[in-house]
Amino acid sequence: MTLAVRYTAARTLDTAPALDVPPGPGEVQLAPAYVGICGTDLHIFHGDMDARVAAPAVLGHEMSGRIVRVGPDVEGWAPGDAVTVMPLRWDGTCPACRAGHRHICQNLDFIGIDSPGAMQQRWTVPASTLIRLPDALPLDRAALVEPTAVAVHDVGRAALREGEKTVVVGGGPVGILIALVARAAGAEVRVVELSAHRRALAAELGLTVWDPAAEDVPALVGEWTGGAGAEVAFEVSGAAGGVDTAVEVLGVRGRLCLVAIHPRPREINLHRFFWRELTLVGARLYDRADFEKAVALVADGTVPADRLISRTVPLTEAPAAFEALEGGGDVMKILVDCATATTCTTDDATQGATA
């Protein structure tokens, strides 16, 4: 019997037997090893996406694992291969797809939201979604490839250039990953974050971080840039105050990359956009090149994924992990170990991940 974590109603998850779906033509069956819980999963848990998510729904799209079975007409993959999944299935016919933007297909199936996700012990997906992982990369760290791909795509959308002064507003998992990817691209980076725990982690990773509750962030940016303002800002907080800060810190012709999902319309200082000729770009999801770059960044340690993992819990304790993440401030990333039903430490998981 295989198990899955299912969303059944607002603030209600269960662990239940799951169907063992054999792979059909062009499909593979995976044994997920680790699955990360992200902000979108929390939105689903809160009931905010009930119009889109059909309960009972198996969650999870940040994952790593190994191939168990290969379906007909699948070439280049074999049982035992270590993989992650780019959880996007597009129709190939809509205007977005025809324009070359398949990752934001107008009829997109985001696997783990619109169809069953990875938080189960056996998972059948199209072979076309697989991304190969290096054999030496521990599978718990590899579970952070998907959010790292988000950060890679965000940095690309901002057209970040070496040496540019960059402000990341919001130091949660994606914000920290954006800061690390931007730093690797040669930018000078500052992170703005309210949580003391997250500020401490950012500092441990060598990032300069400011507390907007205790410091005048625009003034600090002015001192840092000689009054010019930042070239790039990323809004990752999802808060109205974060939007204000991201706009205010930008210099002439600065670029604001909107990363966070804002559930309601926000007021924005359009006069600032006019006066300084600012640019606003949206950033959503990723493409295969972003994923492949993310694998490289995690594998070579540019993104120290192990430092971002706060806790690893067994599949049967995933519902409690969602509640722990609601507090947010003292937790960065929680992984669900899909192979075990007893609590394990991050160190234990790391040691067993390459077995």
Side-chain angles (χ1 to χ4, degrees):
M1 180 184 71
T2 65
L3 296 176
V5 175
R6 307 183 311 167
Y7 169 77
T8 58
R11 302 192 56 80
T12 306
L13 300 173
D14 67 14
T15 305
L19 293 175
D20 188 341
V21 181
E27 295 181 331
V28 298
Q29 187 182 60
L30 307 179
Y34 297 96
V35 179
I37 303 172
C38 79
T40 301
D41 297 322
L42 284 176
H43 283 303
I44 296 172
F45 175 62
H46 293 151
D48 297 336
M49 298 177 67
D50 282 357
R52 178 175 174 185
V53 176
V58 180
L59 305 184
H61 57 271
E62 301 180 0
M63 64 78 62
S64 63
R66 294 188 183 276
I67 295 175
V68 176
R69 290 192 280 176
V70 175
D73 304 324
V74 172
E75 297 181 355
W77 299 103
D81 287 348
V83 297
T84 186
V85 166
M86 184 174 73
L88 307 181
R89 191 157 35 199
W90 46 76
D91 66 12
T93 62
C94 75
C97 288
R98 294 200 306 270
H101 309 305
R102 298 182 301 179
H103 70 290
I104 50 174
C105 169
Q106 290 165 236
N107 301 299
L108 185 69
D109 173 6
F110 191 108
I111 305 172
I113 299 175
D114 303 307
S115 57
M119 213 169 287
Q120 54 184 316
Q121 293 178 313
R122 291 292 183 269
W123 188 35
T124 297
V125 297
S128 60
T129 65
L130 298 181
I131 306 289
R132 193 176 301 276
L133 296 173
D135 289 335
L137 178 61
L139 289 179
D140 60 340
R141 301 180 191 186
L144 273 76
V145 165
E146 193 271 354
T148 301
V150 170
V152 171
H153 185 76
D154 298 340
V155 168
R157 284 288 291 153
L160 189 72
R161 295 185 288 268
E162 184 176 359
E164 289 191 315
K165 290 182 169 58
T166 300
V167 178
V168 179
V169 182
V174 172
I176 293 296
L177 288 168
I178 289 171
L180 293 170
V181 173
R183 183 173 69 181
E188 296 182 43
V189 182
R190 300 293 185 267
V191 178
V192 179
E193 171 56 42
L194 284 167
S195 163
H197 174 81
R198 290 177 169 178
R199 289 199 307 274
L201 177 59
E204 290 172 9
L205 296 175
L207 297 166
T208 300
V209 59
W210 293 325
D211 178 2
E215 300 172 284
D216 184 338
V217 171
L220 290 171
V221 171
E223 294 172 11
W224 175 41
T225 63
E231 283 97 350
V232 178
F234 294 90
E235 203 305 284
V236 202
S237 73
V243 175
D244 293 341
T245 298
V247 172
E248 194 168 354
V249 299
L250 286 171
V252 170
R253 292 206 167 180
R255 286 111 59 204
L256 170 57
C257 184
L258 181 63
V259 178
I261 299 173
H262 289 259
R264 60 185 59 85
R266 302 290 191 193
E267 290 189 4
I268 190 167
N269 185 351
L270 291 178
H271 184 269
R272 188 84 165 185
F273 273 77
F274 158 76
W275 199 252
R276 294 200 166 187
E277 290 196 347
L278 304 181
T279 298
L280 171 64
V281 296
R284 178 184 171 206
L285 300 175
Y286 29 61
D287 57 25
R288 180 166 289 271
D290 297 324
F291 248 87
E292 291 171 348
K293 184 171 182 178
V295 170
L297 291 172
V298 174
D300 69 13
T302 299
V303 171
D306 56 319
R307 303 287 298 280
L308 301 179
I309 300 169
S310 304
R311 192 179 312 159
T312 302
V313 303
L315 188 72
T316 47
E317 294 183 18
F322 275 75
E323 295 179 4
L325 276 168
E326 286 186 291
D330 61 350
V331 178
M332 188 62 71
K333 179 64 67 176
I334 295 180
L335 300 185
V336 175
D337 179 350
C338 292
T340 183
T342 58
T343 304
C344 65
T345 65
T346 298
D347 288 341
D348 292 339
T350 301
Q351 291 170 7
T354 56

